[in-house]
Amino acid sequence: MIKLLSLSGSPVESSSTDILLAAVAESFLSRIDRDRALHAAYRLHDTRFLPCEACGESPEPEFCIHDDLKELYEKVVECDCLLFGSPIYFDSMSAQAKMFVDRCNCFRPADFENRNPDHDFISRLHRKRPGAIILVGSEGGWFEGARRPIAGFFKWIEVVNEGVIEYRSPDFRAKGQVVSDLNIMDKAKQLGRHLAEIVLRSSNER
């Protein structure tokens, strides 16, 4: 099975972030035999989990403390493609998105026992997967403050960033306004097809 995972950091249901993630996912799935594909979509706002407590301990063989992220950690490990979306708040990602990224520190715990002198962290994931970033903000918003840490997070969990969609809303007070921007919606569909082609190619090579 080909597994697609979509994560939305928007606290607003049916937001432009959610709509763009769904558009990419739908386009992705349209290129794959439905019997071969599974899509798991999560809104981080509806997921109950604690922020990182900087415990300074390696959780191996588990992934961090047990809360609602236990299931989501497993989805991250298993997915063949990851979509990650967030609105722009204070020139960065949302609080929900940042909390999740911080809690994924356990995918590369510190090498407290100095098992490998060449690396400070233990890599627990050994398979690269494609992914994409969806960012939504105002026309005058600064997107780099969100894009850069999410791109770093992708590297941390062995996800190769294959594209970024930035939607600059002309009215930040209007929910779901992206549906009226046909150009951005088309870019989302193109990105979904591009990701599907990468996954299919990788699947055929295995």
Side-chain angles (χ1 to χ4, degrees), residues 49-171:
F49 63 99
L50 295 170
C52 176
E53 297 180 341
C55 63
E57 298 179 3
S58 174
E60 295 178 280
E62 301 293 327
F63 287 109
C64 203
I65 56 180
H66 287 188
D67 52 21
D68 283 3
L69 286 195
K70 186 176 188 299
E71 175 185 338
L72 195 42
Y73 284 145
E74 295 172 358
K75 299 292 185 185
V76 171
V77 172
E78 296 170 356
C79 76
D80 298 296
C81 183
L82 175 64
L83 308 178
F84 193 93
S86 176
I88 303 296
Y89 293 156
F90 284 93
D91 294 335
S92 188
M93 68 183 98
S94 69
Q96 292 85 347
K98 185 61 166 64
M99 270 181 60
F100 176 74
V101 168
D102 286 349
R103 278 287 304 275
C104 285
N105 187 53
C106 59
F107 283 106
R108 284 180 181 262
D111 185 3
F112 294 105
E113 298 175 2
N114 198 30
R115 301 182 204 175
N116 187 344
D118 295 328
H119 298 280
D120 294 328
F121 298 93
I122 302 165
S123 178
R124 301 180 66 185
L125 298 177
H126 306 288
R127 178 173 67 99
K128 292 189 180 298
R129 296 75 54 80
I133 301 169
I134 307 295
L135 299 174
V136 175
S138 64
E139 287 185 320
W142 187 58
F143 284 61
E144 184 63 12
R147 187 210 62 79
R148 184 169 180 175
I150 296 174
F153 162 62
F154 273 18
K155 291 181 179 179
W156 194 256
I157 60 169
E158 302 296 344
V159 170
V160 178
N161 180 19
E162 293 289 345
V164 180
I165 291 182
E166 297 181 355
Y167 173 57
R168 300 175 183 272
S169 173
D171 184 357

Side-chain angles (χ1 to χ4, degrees), residues 172-193:
F172 68 89
R173 294 160 294 193
K175 183 174 75 169
Q177 195 174 41
V178 71
V179 294
S180 62
D181 192 322
L182 300 182
N183 180 49
I184 290 292
M185 293 298 291
D186 185 59
K187 285 183 178 180
K189 295 173 184 177
Q190 290 179 34
L191 180 55
R193 291 192 292 269

